[in-house]
Amino acid sequence: MSLASGTRLGSYEILSPLGAGGMGEVYRAKDTKLHRDVAIKVLPESLAADPERLARFEREARVLASLNHPNIAGIHGVEDSTNAKALVLELVEGPTLQDRIEAGPVPVEETLPIARQIAEALEAAHDKGIVHRDLKPANIKIDGAGNVKVLDFGLAKALDPAAGSSSPDLSHSPTLSIGTQAGMILGTAAYMSPEQARGKTADRRADIWAFGVVLWEMLTGGRLFAGETVSDTLAAVLRQEIDWSALPAGTPPAVRRLLARCLERDPRNRLHDAADARIELDEAGEPEPAAAGRAAPEPPRRRAARLPWGIAAAAVAAAAFAVWKSRAPRPEIARLSISLPAGVRLDADTPNQAQIVAISPDGNVVVFRGRSKDAAMLYRRPIGGDEAQPIRGTDDGFDPAFSPDGESLVFCGGGKLRRIAVGGGTPVDLAEDAGCRGTAWGADGTIVFSPTVNSGLWTVPAAGGSPKPLTTLDDAAGERTHRWPQISPDGKTVFFTVGTRDKPGDYDDARIDAVTIGGRDRRVVYRGASFLRCLGHDEYLLGRAGDLLRAHAAEGAEIRDAPVPVIRGIGGDPRSGVVFVAVARNGTLAAIFGLSMRATDEIAAIDRTGKVSPTAIPPGQYDSLALSPDGRRLAIAEGPGGGRNTNIWIVDIGDGNALQLTSDGKAGSSRWAPDGKSLVYSPTAGDALFRTAADGRGVRETLCQFTDSVPISVDSFDPAGATLLVTRYGLTGHRADVDAITMSGSHAVTPFLATEAPEMNAVISPDGRWVAYTGEYERGQQVYVQAYPTLSGRWQVSRDGGFRPRWSADGTELFYLSGYTMTAVPVRTSPTFSYGDGRPLFTIENPGGSEYTNNYEVAPDGKRFYIIRKKTSSADAAARIDVILHGTEGLKDLAR
């Protein structure tokens, strides 16, 4: 149907037509409420008249609306008018990429930034589980400054009538306008992947194929797959040889490799992740010593005689091991992937985003954290040996490090720092309260570790003894944490990462410092990395999640020269700064690839028995949550955290409808006022508290400003809403204090729990008479209750560790976490406080959220819990450990 100018669709006034296609007619329209121009896409009548398809479309549209990326055109909403059913979209001005290609080949220097932005858009969507399915130049717009917007994300799936069918009709494609079946969506023939052309289900690898086609067409200025009919085009997609000679002579080798990987017809052999495409494009401008005179890559094809994988892997391993053992002056580089036991996957779901791989000093044994079903532990795998074996006694272990002789391990587990024989056995406890941010074992028997998220480094003798501080946080410089220690080969120096209060959860530009093993002569080594490992006495590997850099420095001097990239695509976690790599004394590396810690989270509804029920809330990168007093809505901090584009959304638990409450990308923890009409939240910098209406209307109010920029957890209102309790982490002299904020008048800030020991996450009981909180006194983290507000008396409610307490709405139970286990304690609050024995309810699988903010809430009826959980992505399932045997002179040749 066509709409005339002036037609009203709800609050939108049609201004002029913009175009038409199989997905509907598109118009420029005026939003009369917000006074902005938008794009209105009127949906085909075949869709609007089908209730089942329409309901599925609306569900998908809600997921698409969660996309928030500068290279993705956003969806503002769905308009249901008597005139038509329509999508309200961001209006993107400018020509399409198709217009640019039709003008001729796009120069390489112009192609690369465009392609990188397209890859970033795909990466962001794929991380949320959204596949485009119809990527093509006509769906990509470019403004005069070269900024890219990808349009119509996910609409192919949303409009596809055959979703869930095993045999869709390929003759119906929205962009081909075949007959009147405009709503039948599978994609555009020239950009379909081979599996789409065969009628199979499309996943993210279909987008990778289409990305490769688009990139090829930008460089050549022509169509890669073309035919007189749809059938001819599909036949070309399935069988036509790709003319690699059509690429310009100046095409970088990295781009040629990328195209070959994207345009692999077998999806199993195709590039799996848009992030890898982005990384390849980043490398395209880097010089390749061997690139001169290199011919265009041969198209990937099946080998006529391919060894079975097990035999091939064994052959590679044996050859690599022989090269390494020969210790030639300039040994060849060899790289092999070690297999995991059946049913075991690499597991990075550790407390505090920790290290999960280690290698013995002689390079003969790799230790890693693996998970089999619901159990995680450390495994050991000899290089070139048999299958990896679990190390008995390392249940839920992480942050492993070898002893200098390679016979023992130190690791964290059960809240303790432990030592164990590599072959397994009964662990020896070396230190309590060890949340751990890295471990290292020196030649003199000194173990260095970082016990908590907000501490300096400590040391403890491997033979046992009292832990002692090694480094002290510089409060004046805003230091919040020292972590990821590495002891130099001579055993005299400890290198470590410095994190600051103004950037919690963000370590891409952190600092590396060094200090003598005695804690003296501290100096800066490098600025702009999160991790360091020693290759030699004055040769280092610097890391950020995703890459490794090789650096060389004179002894005792700061690294000043630009480090050389050596490995890309390596796993890690930007929230903690860890990089999943370990280095042996002989330079052998063990590194984990394919383990993306940007995996999406889900909000799970779990009952008291542990049964998980789905919610309508789409997947996302969730940092914290807060439940409204009526139990119907969640305030969720969504984004990667660390001040990197994290905003608060108000989401309806029943239908998933969402309202974006903040837009500055700097929102963190939040808490609802008792009347449910407003929220108080902190910025991720932790230098203020703000109050805003829960419906998004009105002006944000600044409640108070702090002189310190430290992470804040907004914890609890009293029942009247007169006082708010917040936890501030990393303050001078304390790791955590609880402050009370008066909600009226001058909004005074006064210390509430501020002893010499850390105290945090204080929540006031429903009757306003008691406060429960986490305290770290003589027995590590435990849950305590005191009278409110006098703080008289003190009852320790937990026995074997506990944190993040929550009261039931009727005040008859107190819940808390002990490790990953949800525990319920019966309590009485009148006439005085009393409590019974705690009872474990269920164990949370893959808990997510920030280390500072709340990751679970209890429904008002006390029967359900809403919990942030990490979703295991396909990238996680495909993660692998590579062992790289090399001479350090050739390490730069390992760039991926």
Side-chain angles (χ1 to χ4, degrees):
M1 64 179 294
S2 298
L3 300 177
S5 298
T7 303
R8 293 293 290 263
L9 298 181
S11 62
Y12 303 98
E13 179 184 351
I14 300 299
L15 299 178
S16 61
L18 290 175
M23 289 187 188
E25 298 175 329
V26 186
Y27 299 86
R28 177 189 289 269
K30 171 68 72 176
D31 183 342
T32 60
K33 288 185 177 180
L34 299 179
H35 303 289
R36 62 179 176 179
D37 283 0
V38 298
I40 295 286
K41 179 163 287 190
V42 179
L43 303 181
E45 294 180 5
S46 58
L47 168 67
D50 186 332
E52 182 179 349
R53 290 175 59 199
L54 189 59
R56 176 164 42 79
F57 168 78
E58 290 175 339
R59 289 195 300 270
E60 187 70 13
R62 284 196 295 269
V63 176
L64 300 177
S66 69
L67 286 176
N68 182 16
H69 191 273
N71 298 123
I72 297 176
I75 294 180
H76 296 320
V78 177
E79 183 61 35
D80 189 1
S81 169
T82 55
N83 294 326
K85 190 81 172 181
L87 275 175
V88 183
L89 307 169
E90 176 186 354
L91 179 63
V92 183
E93 308 282 6
T96 67
L97 182 57
Q98 182 65 43
D99 298 328
R100 176 63 186 84
I101 293 174
E102 288 175 354
V106 183
V108 171
E109 61 271 18
E110 185 181 343
T111 292
L112 294 183
I114 293 173
R116 192 188 191 285
Q117 292 177 75
I118 298 170
E120 286 187 334
L122 292 175
E123 181 182 0
H126 291 173
D127 281 349
K128 286 184 174 289
I130 298 171
V131 180
H132 195 295
R133 291 178 171 82
D134 194 25
L135 183 70
K136 58 187 176 183
N139 275 339
I140 300 166
K141 285 209 169 190
I142 309 171
D143 66 17
N147 299 312
V148 169
K149 286 278 189 180
V150 181
L151 314 179
D152 287 348
F153 249 106
L155 293 186
K157 177 183 178 183
L159 294 169
D160 182 9
S165 170
S166 61
S167 56
D169 184 353
L170 282 176
S171 67
H172 302 292
S173 173
T175 54
L176 297 174
S177 300
I178 302 298
T180 60
Q181 305 297 317
M184 290 197 163
I185 305 296
L186 280 175
T188 304
Y191 303 92
M192 283 184 184
S193 65
E195 59 269 24
Q196 286 177 289
R198 293 187 174 97
K200 297 181 179 180
T201 302
D203 58 20
R204 65 174 62 187
R205 293 172 295 182
D207 283 354
I208 298 297
W209 170 276
F211 172 79
V213 177
V214 171
L215 179 55
W216 193 95
E217 292 184 355
M218 277 196 287
L219 292 168
T220 64
R223 294 289 288 271
L224 178 53
F225 301 111
E228 293 184 8
T229 67
V230 174
S231 297
D232 292 338
T233 302
L234 294 177
V237 169
L238 291 171
R239 292 186 292 274
Q240 175 184 300
E241 288 289 335
I242 296 172
D243 183 8
W244 299 103
S245 66
L247 292 171
T251 304
V255 174
R256 294 177 181 270
R257 290 196 304 269
L258 174 60
L259 282 166
R261 292 169 180 171
C262 291
L263 297 175
E264 167 60 63
R265 284 188 165 90
D266 186 343
R268 296 173 299 176
N269 299 328
R270 192 180 307 151
L271 196 70
H272 278 44
D273 199 318
D276 292 334
R278 171 179 54 77
I279 291 167
E280 292 281 6
L281 290 167
D282 285 342
E283 294 186 36
E286 297 173 2
E288 293 201 9
R294 183 180 296 171
E298 289 294 326
R301 61 188 67 189
R302 301 182 190 279
R303 276 64 174 174
R306 177 177 289 178
L307 285 174
W309 171 248
I311 299 175
V316 172
F321 196 67
V323 170
W324 172 69
K325 280 294 187 182
S326 68
R327 299 184 182 275
R330 290 289 300 273
E332 297 181 16
I333 296 173
R335 181 172 185 160
L336 60 125
S337 293
I338 64 175
S339 60
L340 303 181
V344 175
R345 64 176 175 85
L346 292 169
D347 180 36
D349 296 325
T350 64
N352 306 329
Q353 302 91 43
Q355 181 61 275
I356 61 171
V357 65
I359 190 168
S360 60
D362 61 8
N364 280 338
V365 179
V366 172
V367 165
F368 62 90
R369 176 183 164 102
R371 180 174 290 274
S372 176
K373 296 182 179 179
D374 294 331
M377 63 193 315
L378 298 179
Y379 289 73
R380 72 182 288 271
R381 166 66 191 268
I383 303 299
D386 297 329
E387 184 177 87
Q389 298 294 327
I391 302 176
R392 183 173 57 86
T394 62
D395 293 354
D396 206 25
F398 55 92
D399 270 332
F402 276 88
S403 61
D405 61 8
E407 298 297 324
S408 301
L409 288 170
V410 61
F411 70 99
C412 293
K416 303 176 192 291
L417 184 73
R418 292 174 163 171
R419 187 191 76 234
I420 197 170
V422 171
T426 301
V428 176
D429 294 342
L430 299 176
E432 299 284 341
D433 188 28
C436 282
R437 283 296 192 279
T439 58
W441 195 328
D444 64 352
T446 298
I447 291 174
V448 180
F449 68 105
S450 177
T452 74
V453 299
N454 293 307
S455 70
L457 299 177
W458 286 61
T459 64
V460 65
S466 299
K468 296 180 180 179
L470 174 67
T471 65
T472 302
L473 298 176
D474 185 345
D475 289 309
E479 293 181 0
R480 181 182 60 83
T481 178
H482 295 165
R483 54 183 60 188
W484 312 131
Q486 164 80 72
I487 301 177
S488 61
D490 61 10
K492 297 179 180 179
T493 304
V494 179
F495 300 93
F496 59 95
T497 302
V498 179
T500 55
R501 292 195 297 263
D502 62 331
K503 291 188 176 181
D506 185 357
Y507 292 86
D508 282 349
D509 59 352
R511 192 178 79 233
I512 307 296
D513 279 13
V515 68
T516 62
I517 200 70
R520 298 179 302 277
D521 302 325
R522 180 175 164 185
R523 66 182 188 274
V524 175
V525 174
Y526 187 73
R527 302 174 190 271
S530 67
F531 202 76
L532 178 145
R533 288 296 177 259
C534 297
L535 281 173
H537 182 66
D538 58 355
E539 196 169 13
Y540 314 117
L541 283 181
L542 298 163
R544 294 183 294 264
D547 60 25
L548 283 179
L549 308 173
R550 181 188 180 195
H552 182 88
E555 180 179 358
E558 182 178 356
I559 298 172
R560 300 185 184 278
D561 296 333
V564 179
V566 292
I567 302 180
R568 295 285 174 86
I570 199 167
D573 196 325
R575 296 169 299 176
S576 70
V578 70
V579 181
F580 299 144
V581 67
V583 184
R585 276 197 302 257
N586 62 6
T588 297
L589 270 67
I592 294 176
F593 294 87
L595 192 58
S596 171
M597 296 313 296
R598 292 167 301 178
T600 56
D601 302 309
E602 65 177 356
I603 306 296
I606 306 179
D607 68 14
R608 296 174 73 98
T609 68
K611 180 182 177 181
V612 179
S613 299
T615 68
I617 302 172
Q621 290 181 281
Y622 298 137
D623 191 59
S624 67
L625 49 74
L627 184 66
S628 63
D630 61 8
R632 297 172 56 187
R633 294 168 294 168
L634 283 168
I636 305 174
E638 198 279 337
R644 302 189 308 277
N645 201 28
T646 301
N647 286 301
I648 293 176
W649 293 71
I650 305 298
V651 185
D652 189 290
I653 296 173
D655 60 18
N657 285 332
L659 167 71
Q660 185 171 349
L661 195 65
T662 71
S663 58
D664 60 2
K666 298 179 180 179
S669 173
S670 66
R671 186 62 44 193
W672 295 77
D675 62 6
K677 295 180 180 180
S678 64
L679 290 94
V680 172
Y681 71 92
S682 68
T684 48
D687 57 0
L689 285 176
F690 301 113
R691 177 165 53 191
T692 186
D695 60 7
R697 301 176 182 176
V699 179
R700 182 182 74 175
E701 176 189 6
T702 301
L703 294 180
C704 55
Q705 297 279 163
F706 298 106
T707 57
D708 303 277
S709 294
V710 299
I712 295 178
S713 172
V714 186
D715 294 325
S716 177
F717 279 94
D718 69 354
T723 303
L724 173 68
L725 300 182
V726 302
T727 301
R728 302 182 67 210
Y729 294 87
L731 294 170
T732 303
H734 303 281
R735 294 208 302 271
D737 285 350
V738 176
D739 287 343
I741 317 296
T742 301
M743 296 303 293
S744 61
S746 62
H747 308 305
V749 180
T750 57
F752 180 69
L753 288 166
T755 69
E756 293 183 356
E759 292 139 332
M760 64 204 82
N761 306 135
V763 289
I764 302 170
S765 62
D767 63 6
R769 300 180 59 202
W770 310 96
V771 60
Y773 63 94
T774 304
E776 293 186 24
Y777 303 123
E778 66 279 358
R779 300 187 60 187
Q781 284 192 344
Q782 302 286 356
V783 172
Y784 297 88
V785 171
Q786 291 186 256
Y788 179 82
T790 63
L791 295 180
S792 60
R794 189 168 77 186
W795 293 264
Q796 181 182 320
V797 176
S798 62
R799 286 291 174 264
D800 298 316
F803 61 98
R804 287 182 181 160
R806 282 282 177 270
W807 297 91
S808 64
D810 61 6
T812 62
E813 284 186 294
L814 191 61
F815 305 97
Y816 63 85
L817 292 174
S818 179
Y820 293 170
T821 300
M822 185 67 68
T823 303
V825 178
V827 299
R828 294 184 62 183
T829 60
S830 180
T832 185
F833 179 79
S834 62
Y835 64 99
D837 293 332
R839 180 167 64 91
L841 298 181
F842 56 86
T843 297
I844 304 172
E845 182 180 355
N846 302 335
S850 165
E851 62 193 22
Y852 300 107
T853 55
N854 187 50
N855 68 344
Y856 83 92
E857 288 281 40
V858 186
D861 61 6
K863 296 179 180 180
R864 295 182 312 284
F865 300 80
Y866 299 107
I867 297 173
I868 300 176
R869 300 196 312 172
K870 300 173 187 174
K871 289 175 66 69
T872 302
S873 69
S874 58
D876 296 335
R880 70 183 192 275
I881 303 176
D882 280 8
V883 175
I884 303 165
L885 314 173
H886 63 87
T888 57
E889 290 299 319
L891 185 58
K892 62 185 177 182
D893 297 331
L894 288 171
R896 299 176 72 249

